[in-house]
Amino acid sequence: MCSLALFPPPLPSGQTTLCESNNELLSGTTTEDQLKQESSPLSLYFPRESLKLHSRTESSSKAAFLDHSETLWMRSAAAWRDGGLTGLLNEITTSHTEVPKWLSMSSGCILALLQKVSSFHGSLFPHLTLSSEDMIAEFSQVLNWSDCVVRAFAWHPHTDKFAVALLDDSIKIYNPKSATTPTLKHRLQRSVAAVQWKPLCASALAVACQNCLLVWHVDPCSLSTRPSSGCAQVLSHPGHSPVTSIAWSPSGSLLVSASPMDTAMMVWDVASESCVPLQRVGGGGVSFLSWSPDGSHVLASTPSALFRVWETRMWTCERWPCVKGRCQSGCWSPDGSRLLFTVQGEMVIYALTFTDTPAGVPTSTSQGPQAAAVVADLSETTFNTPDGDIIVGGEIQSLAWDSTGERLAVLLKGDPHAADRPAIIAVFKTRTSPIFELLPCGFVQGERGAEPRLMQFHPSFQHGALLTVCWSSGRITHVPFYFLSAGVPHCGLSGSPSLPRPQTVPADFANQSLFTELMS
Amino acid sequence: AVLLLGPITAALVILGRFSLFHPIQTISVIPTIACSKIALLGQLLHPRQLVNSAVHCVMGIVVAWCCAITIGGRYETLGYTCPQSDGSSQMCLNEYHLILLLAGAFVGLSYSLLGVIHNMNYISFHTVQQYKYLRFKGALPLVVKCSATQALYSIRNFIVVYFFLGYIPKAWFCKTLNLYLNSSVHPLDSIAGLLDLSLVYHLWISASFLLFTWHITLVLFRIFVTELYSFPVQSSFTEDAHQCLAKVLNEKQPMILKFLALQDLALLSQHSPSRRCQVFSLSQPGGHPHNWNAISKECLSMLTDLTQRLVAYHDTVATNGRAKSLSTGSERKTSSETSVTSGTEDLMSPRPTLLMKTPASVFARSVVGTPRTPLTAPFTPDLDSPFASPALRRLTAPVEQCSPWFGTVQSPHVKNFLAKRVLIMYLFNKLPEASSQALFADSQAHIWALEGLSYLVQASFSEDQFGVVQTALPSILSCMLVLQEAVDRHFKLPHASSKPVRSTGSMGDSTHKTLRFALRATLKTAIYRITTTFGDHLNAIQMSAEHRKRLQQFLEYKE
């Protein structure tokens, strides 16, 4: 079952995907002028050169100062402050000329023992040895996060505004209805891994940073372009950093955060700045979170070959061990009944179906499925294009499902070293009721040389689905998919496009179902 | 480990005894917040508190005695025979035993006093529901850590006290029990005696054990009390009618039941379609939505009550706390009430009186029907007569009288006179945040009411077959908007929006300090929940122009 073979071939280079209309993807040749000309206020371009990057990290400034001798006590105190117990032991061991022999010997032994233990721990969970920047890059939903100009992106759940986190650790908020674009900067806002707006709120934006979580309160009526750092709440918990993933509950009352270093997932009551750690041993941390749109479940994947699905009424979880690798990405159907996820090292998309709990039984856990079903196979497929053969497929970086549940976008990693294996976004048409179906739609491609890094669907687009893609060039574009949602009753009042329903289209490849539940 | 084995068996005895003495009546879901230092002092010297402290001291001694027996060795008995220089032997005081017992008493006392200061008797409800076992497991590391650190500090303080005052109990014991001091042994109230590491360790471990027992009891009690209880929305039998959600919600006492009912309401409205369906249902003969009416009316009256409280407080602050004559006070009261009622129509007119006891009343006006002068008394006027002993009465009587001076200083020479007495000022000055905290002390109930109402209204969009919610929608919206306005105004006051220092590593619950922020966030979310669900349909609702403007802000996501 090779799904990608049924896709229309990728566009020749130089052509970009513009939109979907009448059930087909339209493309066009775009040049720089055209891009500038037709760009809507929401299409943005952040050239890498325009960002002021801080090149030095704090630890590297040490080299700039001359070494000068301090007393052993001072050095020990400094080592304790900077490096904790390990630093102190290290300091004592290295300055063996000044301390008694037994002390330096014993601290050397303890140090060796500590290193043995940590290396053993590290061999169980290899990710623990990564630096926090590398860890964010490893577990981020963004492709090649450390090299990305746009590091995180979030649409507001109810309005047309969005937040963009950039490489220089600033966050900009764009709103087509307002002339001001507030820029958020904070001392603790470093290495932003994810941003998300609070649902049912106009102002709160949660930011996952290297050492903490920030919740900004950006007054939408304010004319200030630089909100002070007093507008940000700092949420931190010892041992809970770096934060790689956050998720607001759809009801806007709770925020969960995850760190691959911490086996506990934090559930925050943001207003009172208190948190409840939900600790489960196994997995070595939590790397990715996704809250189902109906609020009933939370997907929490770990750095090991294991992920959990929490139900949010009594906060119990189901364990889902994977065979091959960790769960890389996941997304929920709009009604929260179906979870699609991908596993690192595999080229398929799995689905899990959750049936509703019997109503009125408050303490029963949800009756989950027994095993995941493969719904799409994205193994490598060769397409013949005028520019030569292009190989599409492979491992999956992230998944996104639009709020109507009719378009599923899959960001394929590709191979950065091979020119004929680009990273690409494959879009599927999906139907969730009465049965789950998957049909091919097409590839979304950008301008020449730009590869997709990050994508997100607009949560409340009126005319179908709107996919926002952040490209490696620093450009942010929006690809609309115009269709009539099957879930919304057609009233024919608005000038809707002619029925682009999959059933009514004459038989061609687009009509061939890749997966239906009837097959399995 | 062997050392702890004995104490743990003793723990069973202790726990059994403890539950007998446990002053359950002091546990409450609404924190008592002292608005000034003197009020805190009053709480500490409250007879009930004195009894509580005494009981804790005795418990501490008993546990320390158990520890002494189990540790054995030099700690085992209070007296021992010691040879005299002249060859005869007599009973001598074993100071090691004594110091352990005294440490137990001291730790008990400090536990009970710190309990008052840290509001240990306050039970907060969790935002996240978890099973009891998991919750207990999650709390265990904190309990161990807290016990160990608190024991460390207590023992440190105890050692200092013993160093200076240790001779008093020693002499007393010697006198009453007819024991002698062994002059050949080092006295323990000296630097050399107290530097005995093994002694300090034993003191610390027994204190930790004592505190651990108490903390575990407290944690278990909290977990079991706040456990989710599911009230039936509708009962088919009349004898069970008093257990119904609506019935329990409308009860005033006991508070814990009301809180549990509100928690259940908030959760059922969010998670349980079948129980929501019962709320929206009509009564079988007659076709009245009794369940919905009772629930919504109770929630709205609670919210209105909070609004009134906020408005009254704001007025008091705005007029700089000046005492007004009775006539103006009552006049303003009616005006403020009408301004509120105008929004919510006649919904609350049937019950204009207070529903709950105002928590730690920052002001005792308007909510209580009696025409009291609007004093911002620094003293928490606990109505059930805390000061039973005449000595305490004498202590507090001037306070009650002079209270208008402090919240409401009128004449400058009085002010000068007071300024000279720094200590008095220190004691009577209002703690800046406390009045704000006290206003929102029972806001957990309001938070649930807001959540319950908003989720029910949201669900009614698709689930309410008979349109029972529609009729109440204007009053719900205007009630929330009026409250929103009052809360916004309150947060503009100084100190209202300053964040309290987060205290970690203490068993005391500091949730009450942030309740006002939680309420503000919940209120906003609740209004957004309704506006997002109904969207432009809300334009069809009758409401005042001001409210419509406000609602439009929410519809455009500009709040």
Side-chain angles (χ1 to χ4, degrees), chain A residues 96-307:
Chain A
H96 50 82
T97 51
E98 291 166 70
V99 294
K101 192 157 185 290
W102 62 269
L103 190 59
S104 69
M105 284 283 283
S106 56
S107 61
C109 288
I110 297 172
L111 197 62
L113 194 69
L114 278 180
Q115 276 162 359
K116 280 268 159 50
V117 169
S118 74
S119 71
F120 173 69
H121 196 208
S123 69
L124 285 181
F125 301 111
H127 70 275
L128 294 178
T129 55
L130 294 174
S131 74
S132 57
E133 288 256 342
D134 291 342
M135 196 179 289
I136 297 173
E138 172 74 21
F139 297 111
S140 171
Q141 293 292 295
V142 183
L143 183 61
N144 201 353
W145 176 86
S146 41
D147 181 46
C148 234
V149 180
V150 177
R151 290 194 144 170
F153 178 93
W155 277 107
H156 190 273
H158 310 289
T159 54
D160 285 335
K161 70 176 169 187
F162 59 79
V164 182
L166 298 172
L167 187 59
D168 61 351
D169 292 337
S170 66
I171 293 178
K172 287 181 192 293
I173 293 171
Y174 291 89
N175 188 350
K177 287 180 191 154
S178 141
T180 52
T181 55
T183 306
L184 312 178
K185 284 186 182 176
H186 195 281
R187 186 171 52 85
L188 294 168
Q189 187 172 289
R190 280 187 291 156
S191 305
V192 177
V195 291
Q196 199 178 12
W197 291 93
K198 177 179 174 178
L200 298 178
C201 181
S203 59
L205 175 75
V207 183
C209 310
Q210 194 170 9
N211 294 318
C212 63
L213 267 171
L214 291 176
V215 180
W216 285 93
H217 294 270
V218 189
D219 184 1
C221 300
S222 163
L223 295 174
S224 150
T225 52
R226 275 294 302 274
S228 79
S229 52
C231 301
Q233 281 177 282
V234 181
L235 308 176
S236 65
H237 193 267
H240 194 71
S241 70
V243 183
T244 55
S245 190
I246 46 174
W248 283 97
S249 72
S251 62
S253 51
L254 299 171
L255 173 71
V256 290
S257 70
S259 166
M261 291 294 277
D262 192 357
T263 49
M265 171 173 106
M266 296 291 159
V267 183
W268 294 92
D269 182 358
V270 173
S272 57
E273 299 188 8
S274 62
C275 72
V276 180
L278 295 176
Q279 184 104 35
R280 289 291 185 279
V281 186
V286 183
S287 55
F288 172 71
L289 294 169
S290 173
W291 207 308
S292 72
D294 68 336
S296 62
H297 292 92
V298 178
L299 164 74
S301 72
T302 70
S304 317
L306 168 76
F307 68 93

Side-chain angles (χ1 to χ4, degrees), chain A residues 158-159 198 200-202 220-221 233-234 236 251 267 269 271-273 276 278 280 313-316 359-360 363, chain B residues 126-131 134 270-272 274 455 499 502 514 517-518 521 525 528-529 532 553 557-559:
Chain A
H158 310 289
T159 54
K198 177 179 174 178
L200 298 178
C201 181
C221 300
Q233 281 177 282
V234 181
S236 65
S251 62
V267 183
D269 182 358
S272 57
E273 299 188 8
V276 180
L278 295 176
R280 289 291 185 279
R313 190 185 292 182
M314 292 305 285
W315 290 97
T316 53
T363 50
Chain B
H126 272 259
T127 40
V128 171
Q129 299 297 316
Q130 271 181 289
Y131 287 109
L134 292 170
Q270 194 176 352
H271 292 298
S272 177
S274 63
Y455 278 117
K499 297 258 168 181
R502 264 207 286 170
T514 51
F517 300 103
T525 309
Y528 268 121
R529 188 168 291 134
T532 324
Q553 293 278 316
Y557 293 94
K558 281 187 176 163
E559 268 296 323

Side-chain angles (χ1 to χ4, degrees), chain B residues 221-427:
Chain B
F221 183 73
R222 280 183 188 166
I223 290 174
F224 275 85
V225 158
T226 58
E227 195 197 357
L228 172 64
Y229 183 81
S230 183
F231 294 87
V233 178
Q234 204 167 15
S235 82
S236 23
F237 305 104
T238 41
E239 55 263 35
D240 293 341
H242 65 281
Q243 293 179 359
C244 280
L245 187 63
K247 199 86 184 165
V248 179
L249 271 182
N250 281 295
E251 300 279 326
K252 277 160 215 155
Q253 289 294 337
M255 218 53 207
I256 179 73
L257 264 186
K258 181 160 183 144
F259 269 56
L260 282 173
L262 281 165
Q263 184 185 30
D264 187 39
L265 172 70
L267 288 168
L268 89 87
S269 62
Q270 194 176 352
H271 292 298
S272 177
S274 63
R275 294 178 71 202
R276 277 199 301 257
C277 184
Q278 287 182 336
V279 173
F280 297 140
S281 67
L282 300 181
S283 65
Q284 207 32 271
H288 292 288
H290 287 307
N291 292 328
W292 162 252
N293 280 350
I295 288 171
S296 64
K297 194 180 261 178
E298 179 57 28
C299 290
L300 284 180
S301 67
M302 275 167 52
L303 297 179
T304 315
D305 171 46
L306 179 67
T307 313
Q308 283 179 352
R309 212 190 291 168
L310 288 175
V311 166
Y313 177 77
H314 195 271
D315 288 352
T316 322
V317 172
T319 51
N320 207 6
R322 227 165 278 125
K324 272 164 285 300
S325 66
L326 276 179
S327 59
T328 54
S330 55
E331 197 180 285
R332 214 157 35 80
K333 177 195 158 199
T334 47
S335 71
S336 74
E337 236 173 32
T338 43
S339 75
V340 172
T341 31
S342 64
T344 54
E345 266 94 43
D346 53 348
L347 217 137
M348 23 164 276
S349 52
R351 359 187 9 178
T353 45
L354 173 67
L355 292 147
M356 297 178 188
K357 201 180 90 185
T358 324
S361 62
V362 195
F363 55 93
R365 204 187 55 90
S366 78
V367 271
V368 185
T370 53
R372 285 173 66 135
T373 42
L375 303 177
T376 51
F379 219 90
T380 314
D382 206 343
L383 293 174
D384 45 341
S385 175
F387 302 100
S389 82
L392 276 168
R393 266 192 200 291
R394 241 182 296 124
L395 185 84
T396 55
V399 175
E400 287 283 314
Q401 276 172 13
C402 63
S403 52
W405 296 352
F406 308 104
T408 68
V409 179
Q410 312 114 319
S411 55
H413 63 269
V414 173
K415 208 172 189 173
N416 289 338
F417 168 75
L418 278 176
K420 284 174 195 150
R421 279 141 184 81
V422 181
L423 178 71
I424 299 181
M425 282 309 272
Y426 171 75
L427 285 176

